[in-house]
Amino acid sequence: MNIDKNQLLVYLDSDRLPKLKIKKYFMQTIKVERVTGVNDILPSTYQIDQQIKSILSSNFESYGYRPIDVPLIEYTELYLKKSGEDIISRLYDFIYRNRRLCLRPEFTASVVRAYLDNLQELPLPVRLYYMGPVFRYEQPQKEKYGQFTQMGIELIGATGAIADGEIISMACQGLDRLGLTEYQTFIGHVGVLNNFLDHLQLDTRLRSFLLTQMETLRIEGKEIVESRLSEIYPAFKKNNFLAEQLDTNTTTKKITDILQNLEENEARTAIFKLLESMNIELTSTRTPEEIVDRLLIKIKHQDQTKELNQALEFMTELSQLKGEPQAIFKEIKKLLSAYGIDDYGLAELQDILKSLEAFNIDKNRISLDLGISRGLQYYTGMVFEIYDSKLGVERKLCGGGRYDDLVVSLGGKQETPATGFSYLMEELRKELTEKAHLSFNNYQFVEALVVGLTREDYSDSVRVAEKLRSLGLRIETDVIGRDIQSNIEYGNQQKISFLIIVNSTEKKGGKVLLQNLDSGEQKKLELHEVVHQVRNIKDNTNC
């Protein structure tokens, strides 16, 4: 009987099929799919990641960093405080037993929380490194994942150009150790934009919003940012005709003074009664209530439309400043002078570039980019990102920056400067496999396959395998009883270099038959000789 899923549901609610038969049919035909946005890490891919982790861990530890791990689940509040709209809107966020929890979307806030909970007694600076999955909701599309892997460092308790230079240097040297040399490092400073927005005296919500929009401004354009801004600050749109009338009328101040002294509901009622007494009908694409609400925003609060327009103009120009450091320094000084702003942050950038010379970082791989904001509100100073020099923004390999306010924001008792960065492991993996810098596909999981010549030799083959494992070899045992030829074919398919054939009669003499599956050569050897032979050929192959 052929039954589709819809038909099956009908049968489940009827007596037309026995319950047992339905259950059996359902279990045999319904496959549970992988959740969209996450991926299985298969053995070969896992091994790539392990080799990357080994190389990068070695680099981190050479600078004195120690490993740390933090929970997958945190209180959502940890990220609501300082992470910014870019992450908050993409949290895997849920309520469990009256607690608001989420899967961690990044490591920095969690590591700082762990530092505050456990490590404050350590002398500063505290150097930590981590690796693990993070979770951010993404609309289903190619190359976008809800789960991905970060590996990075946090340097807590250090300030200045040398500290910032150390993390940029580590990021670059890690790529060099992996054999990746086709990259470009872009360095910026969020303090430049922060300083300008402070000068405009924008309210906190608008200021926070603008700090997260630099990347959107550069990639999607000013109109998109203006549209989003209008959603959170309706007064930014062109004011309706009544508001404009109030601006130009000589009695404006008297009317606005009265309305400002009223409660909002009282003021709204007063405006409607005034319009009604004057027989003024509000005709617009918006409702009368929307028009009056916008008018009240303008009357009762300082209208910041002018300042917002100035901010967007400045941000648009700032986002275009990207290139060779000395040329960009000249351009940014001109821009700040034109807006009457001091050059806060530029001296820090110059000192950082100088420190990178001491770390022997190739200056040709370093550019300035004043449009970098990283999309996170906790950054306070230097920020940087590293891209594939040919693919550019299509492949970001890592990024980070300084976050001097985060420790206090998360409950620290005193101001503690901090800086750090993280690699995007999936991007490193793609970079390495595409450019074949490491022979990942040739990694040998198993060095030898131990088999019995006959079924009677099975127990002895297990004992031989156990002994060889104790001597340090990675050994598989034939556990399904294949014949010798089938085991040879299996070994070749699995890229196993040696077959060890155990014959109970021969074994009494202390020897086994070692067959090189690449050359076909066979030798009768004692077990210690097998270990030496396998390792010797393996070492010669890797040279």
Side-chain angles (χ1 to χ4, degrees):
M1 177 182 290
N2 294 322
I3 305 174
D4 65 23
K5 292 181 182 179
N6 293 328
Q7 289 176 318
L8 184 58
L9 293 176
V10 173
Y11 278 109
L12 286 171
D13 292 329
S14 71
D15 294 322
R16 295 171 67 183
L17 287 176
K19 296 293 184 183
L20 185 60
K21 182 181 283 188
I22 293 171
K23 182 177 179 181
K24 182 179 179 181
Y25 178 86
F26 193 88
M27 292 178 66
Q28 288 177 343
T29 60
I30 303 302
K31 178 185 177 184
V32 178
E33 299 288 344
R34 174 173 52 84
V35 175
T36 302
V38 300
N39 290 301
D40 299 310
I41 306 298
L42 303 179
S44 58
T45 301
Y46 185 88
Q47 191 58 41
I48 294 173
D49 289 349
Q50 289 300 104
Q51 291 192 51
I52 295 173
K53 179 183 178 181
S54 175
I55 292 169
L56 295 182
S57 296
S58 176
N59 184 48
F60 293 157
E61 290 172 6
S62 74
Y63 280 80
Y65 287 75
R66 296 186 292 170
I68 188 174
D69 199 3
V70 291
L72 282 173
I73 300 175
E74 298 273 14
Y75 285 109
T76 304
E77 182 185 6
L78 179 67
Y79 304 104
L80 294 180
K81 286 189 173 182
K82 274 286 188 176
S83 290
E85 295 292 334
D86 182 60
I87 281 185
I88 290 171
S89 62
R90 292 154 58 194
L91 289 179
Y92 284 94
D93 182 27
F94 55 94
I95 302 293
Y96 181 73
R97 295 187 178 182
N98 297 320
R99 294 178 297 172
R100 189 177 179 188
L101 306 171
C102 71
L103 300 178
R104 67 182 180 217
E106 52 103 15
F107 269 91
T108 298
S110 291
V111 171
V112 170
R113 194 264 315 139
Y115 162 76
L116 291 172
D117 287 348
N118 307 288
L119 303 174
Q120 289 191 83
E121 76 282 358
L122 296 179
L124 297 177
V126 173
R127 290 179 164 90
L128 302 168
Y129 78 86
Y130 56 80
M131 176 181 171
V134 295
F135 303 84
R136 301 182 196 177
Y137 176 76
E138 295 281 359
Q139 292 292 339
Q141 54 184 302
K142 186 179 180 181
E143 305 297 336
K144 289 287 186 179
Y145 308 113
Q147 175 184 333
F148 55 97
T149 309
Q150 290 184 337
M151 184 170 186
I153 63 101
E154 310 296 347
L155 174 56
I156 300 172
T159 189
I162 294 297
D164 287 333
E166 177 172 298
I167 70 158
I168 297 172
S169 170
M170 290 173 65
C172 295
Q173 289 184 18
L175 296 176
D176 291 337
R177 289 194 182 194
L178 288 171
L180 300 176
T181 57
E182 296 178 348
Y183 64 83
Q184 192 70 17
T185 304
F186 295 91
I187 305 173
H189 198 298
V190 298
V192 175
L193 179 56
N194 271 324
N195 190 34
F196 182 75
L197 297 180
D198 287 342
H199 173 73
L200 294 179
Q201 297 183 329
L202 291 168
D203 69 44
T204 303
R205 186 186 182 200
L206 294 176
R207 186 178 183 280
S208 297
F209 169 80
L210 290 174
L211 285 172
T212 65
Q213 296 303 303
M214 283 295 284
E215 187 172 351
T216 302
L217 188 69
R218 179 154 61 187
I219 297 174
E220 300 184 48
K222 185 177 177 183
E223 293 75 15
I224 298 297
V225 178
E226 288 177 333
S227 176
R228 294 180 182 178
L229 184 57
S230 298
E231 292 175 5
I232 68 167
Y233 189 68
F236 183 71
K237 290 184 178 180
K238 291 183 179 180
N239 298 308
N240 60 68
F241 76 95
L242 184 58
E244 292 172 354
Q245 288 288 331
L246 286 174
D247 270 345
T248 57
N249 196 295
T250 55
T251 61
T252 295
K253 191 174 187 313
K254 292 181 180 179
I255 297 174
T256 55
D257 285 346
I258 293 171
L259 293 173
Q260 283 176 345
N261 290 324
L262 295 176
E263 293 294 329
E264 191 163 316
N265 286 336
E266 293 176 332
R268 184 179 291 103
T269 301
I271 292 173
F272 276 116
K273 287 184 176 180
L274 175 63
L275 294 173
E276 184 180 353
S277 67
M278 297 172 65
N279 293 320
I280 296 177
E281 183 179 351
L282 297 178
T283 57
S284 172
T285 56
R286 302 185 183 92
T287 65
E289 288 76 14
E290 286 180 307
I291 295 173
V292 172
D293 284 346
R294 291 170 184 273
L295 178 61
L296 279 175
I297 289 174
K298 186 171 180 66
I299 291 173
K300 295 186 71 67
H301 306 282
Q302 179 185 355
D303 182 16
Q304 296 193 299
T305 299
K306 179 180 178 182
E307 287 77 10
L308 288 170
N309 280 319
Q310 286 182 326
L312 289 176
E313 289 175 9
F314 179 79
M315 290 169 63
T316 300
E317 294 184 63
L318 189 68
S319 68
Q320 305 306 312
L321 297 181
K322 180 178 179 179
E324 192 276 324
Q326 295 310 313
I328 297 302
F329 275 126
K330 292 178 182 178
E331 293 300 318
I332 185 59
K333 286 180 179 179
K334 289 180 184 178
L335 179 62
L336 295 177
S337 176
Y339 281 87
I341 304 299
D342 62 50
D343 58 358
Y344 175 82
L346 298 192
E348 286 185 18
L349 280 177
Q350 289 174 322
D351 288 343
I352 290 169
L353 292 178
K354 187 175 181 180
S355 76
L356 292 177
E357 295 177 7
F359 284 105
N360 295 318
I361 301 300
D362 184 354
K363 65 180 182 180
N364 293 319
R365 291 182 182 166
I366 302 295
S367 299
L368 288 189
D369 184 354
L370 277 298
I372 298 176
S373 68
R374 303 278 302 139
L376 299 173
Q377 293 179 24
Y378 56 63
Y379 288 115
T380 58
M382 181 278 300
V383 287
F384 77 100
E385 293 177 342
I386 301 181
Y387 295 89
D388 179 297
S389 56
K390 293 183 178 178
L391 296 177
V393 295
E394 293 180 20
R395 182 163 296 168
K396 180 167 64 177
L397 304 176
C398 74
R402 176 161 291 281
Y403 51 95
D404 289 345
D405 295 341
L406 188 58
V407 172
V408 171
S409 296
L410 297 183
K413 296 180 179 179
Q414 60 185 20
E415 292 185 2
T416 306
T419 186
F421 80 92
S422 66
Y423 292 107
L424 300 173
M425 295 294 283
E426 285 77 5
E427 299 302 319
L428 294 184
R429 185 199 305 150
K430 282 187 283 188
E431 190 85 348
L432 286 164
T433 53
E434 288 175 11
K435 298 183 178 180
H437 286 281
L438 296 176
S439 300
F440 293 121
N441 294 330
N442 295 324
Y443 178 78
Q444 193 173 52
F445 286 93
V446 177
E447 292 167 309
L449 172 63
V450 176
V451 304
L453 185 63
T454 67
R455 285 189 175 274
E456 288 72 25
D457 300 318
Y458 175 74
S459 294
D460 278 340
S461 70
V462 171
R463 293 189 186 97
V464 168
E466 286 296 297
K467 180 62 176 178
L468 291 173
R469 290 185 188 110
S470 71
L471 295 173
L473 295 185
R474 296 191 297 276
I475 300 294
E476 262 193 45
T477 306
D478 174 22
V479 293
I480 62 175
R482 288 181 291 254
D483 60 35
I484 296 298
Q485 185 57 41
S486 296
N487 273 309
I488 290 174
E489 292 173 0
Y490 172 81
N492 287 326
Q493 290 169 350
Q494 295 295 97
K495 298 180 179 178
I496 299 173
S497 296
F498 294 93
L499 188 70
I500 297 171
I501 303 172
V502 177
N503 183 330
S504 298
T505 304
E506 295 281 351
K507 180 67 177 62
K508 291 177 182 178
K511 294 186 177 182
V512 296
L513 182 65
L514 178 70
Q515 180 172 339
N516 186 321
L517 293 182
D518 293 325
S519 66
E521 181 184 6
Q522 293 183 339
K523 293 182 181 178
K524 289 184 179 180
L525 302 171
E526 295 184 1
L527 293 188
H528 72 276
E529 294 175 315
V530 168
V531 175
H532 175 75
Q533 185 81 4
V534 170
R535 286 179 175 166
N536 185 50
I537 292 179
K538 176 184 173 185
D539 291 340
N540 289 337
T541 302
N542 290 336
C543 289

